[in-house]
Structures are given as C-alpha cells and as structure tokens.
Amino acid sequence: QVQLVESGGGSVQAGGSLRLSCTASGSIFWINDMGWYRQAPGKQRELVAVISSGGSSNYAESVKGRFTISRDNAKNTIDLQMNSLKPEDTAVYYCNARLRISVFRSENDYWGQGTQVTVSS
C-alpha cells in the first residue's frame, strides 16, 4: 500500500509565501516523476510543477518565477516553495507520484488527499 501525505497548506495574504511538503511511503520499488497539481472551485485539476527522479523540473506558466519544486529521493519527499502568492493561486493542492510498487508491475499514479491553500487580497 502506498500513501502520499501532504502538509503545509494554509491561509496567507497576497504577496506572502507558503511551503508545501509531500512524502510518499509504503511498498515502493521506484518513483519516477513527482509533482503538484491544484484544483480551484469549478475548475479542472491542473499541473503546477513536476520534478523527475533526476531532478529536472517543469512548471505551469502561471507559477514560473514564483514557485520552486525540490525533491529528496532518499526520503521520497518533494517540497513546493510558493512565493509572491496571488489570490488566483487559491486551490486545493494535490501531491502526485508516478511509481512502481514492484519490478514486475507497471507505473501507476498515486495521489495525496490534498491541502488547501487560500490567498486573500
């Protein structure tokens, strides 16, 4: 069984910062990409940032220059440092990991429970 546990959400004023963390645990053979997605009320879930096992990262255009994703492969952990937050960043943020639970199994996506980020103007 695999679990992704997120922490670090909360409320902040526009221009402020928050840091999200996510740790994957359980029967994990290997993790490929890990990332953060978000879903605002009435909108589809969208990619925020993703980082590969080798450390390559990609960001949504809307967060480039403001958010930074980092990863610790030894701890199966990713962080998302969010600076210069805007009201439009308000959403539930979900951690995602694409991983294998066994050398004999294909990759699958796993999700955390989500953490609320609220940015007030």
Side-chain angles (χ1 to χ4, degrees), residues 4-90:
L4 271 63
V5 179
E6 301 131 333
S7 62
S11 297
V12 66
Q13 288 192 329
S17 298
L18 285 173
R19 188 176 183 89
L20 306 182
S21 294
C22 172
T23 299
S25 63
S27 300
I28 298 171
F29 173 71
W30 181 66
I31 303 177
N32 191 351
D33 292 346
M34 294 186 76
W36 291 95
Y37 290 71
R38 67 187 181 188
Q39 187 166 18
K43 294 188 177 181
Q44 289 189 331
R45 190 173 297 188
E46 62 176 2
L47 173 69
V48 176
V50 63
I51 186 166
S52 71
S53 58
S56 298
S57 58
N58 283 293
Y59 298 89
E61 285 295 326
S62 60
V63 307
K64 280 183 179 178
R66 299 188 298 122
F67 291 10
T68 302
I69 190 169
S70 58
R71 178 169 176 169
D72 185 332
N73 288 330
K75 297 180 179 179
N76 290 340
T77 296
I78 57 170
D79 291 332
L80 184 69
Q81 178 64 43
M82 304 185 293
N83 298 328
S84 302
L85 282 160
K86 303 176 181 180
E88 51 264 43
D89 294 318
T90 295

